[in-house]
Amino acid sequence: MNCVYILYSAKLNRFYIGFTSDFDTRLEFHKNAESHKFTAKAEDWELFLRIPCANKTQGLSIEKHIKKMKSKTYIENLVKYPDII
């Protein structure tokens, strides 16, 4: 299932936004990331939000939009106000 996902690390107080067609495998990849990868900087990544997508094109478009916003408030509002998804 295609989805855009947002992970949150309390240690870094940062969000990570990504797209995948296999969420469980991708999450394991982040939890066991190589030291030079961004998600290796913290061990406490947890799922903040998952947005199902009809296809890869839609998913990549949503991911790009969220990243373009560059705003923690915007990401937090995706949960607070699900209608904006």
Side-chain angles (χ1 to χ4, degrees):
M1 178 178 107
N2 294 312
C3 70
V4 172
Y5 61 94
I6 301 174
L7 304 178
Y8 177 74
S9 167
K11 175 183 174 186
L12 300 176
N13 191 27
R14 298 275 309 260
F15 290 99
Y16 179 88
I17 303 140
F19 168 81
T20 187
S21 58
D22 185 354
F23 177 74
D24 294 329
T25 301
R26 189 69 176 147
L27 184 59
E28 284 304 311
F29 173 81
H30 288 303
K31 288 182 177 181
N32 301 306
E34 298 173 20
S35 61
H36 65 280
K37 302 286 186 180
F38 176 76
T39 53
K41 294 179 182 181
E43 301 80 33
D44 66 340
W45 293 105
E46 57 186 55
L47 181 62
F48 183 77
L49 178 66
R50 182 167 30 178
I51 303 168
C53 303
N55 54 49
K56 184 176 181 177
T57 304
Q58 180 190 38
L60 292 174
S61 177
I62 292 169
E63 176 192 20
K64 182 178 178 180
H65 172 75
I66 295 170
K67 287 180 175 181
K68 188 172 118 183
M69 297 306 288
K70 296 186 181 204
S71 168
K72 285 184 181 183
T73 304
Y74 181 78
I75 293 170
E76 290 165 350
N77 283 341
L78 290 173
V79 171
K80 194 173 182 179
Y81 308 105
D83 292 346
I84 65 174
I85 293 175

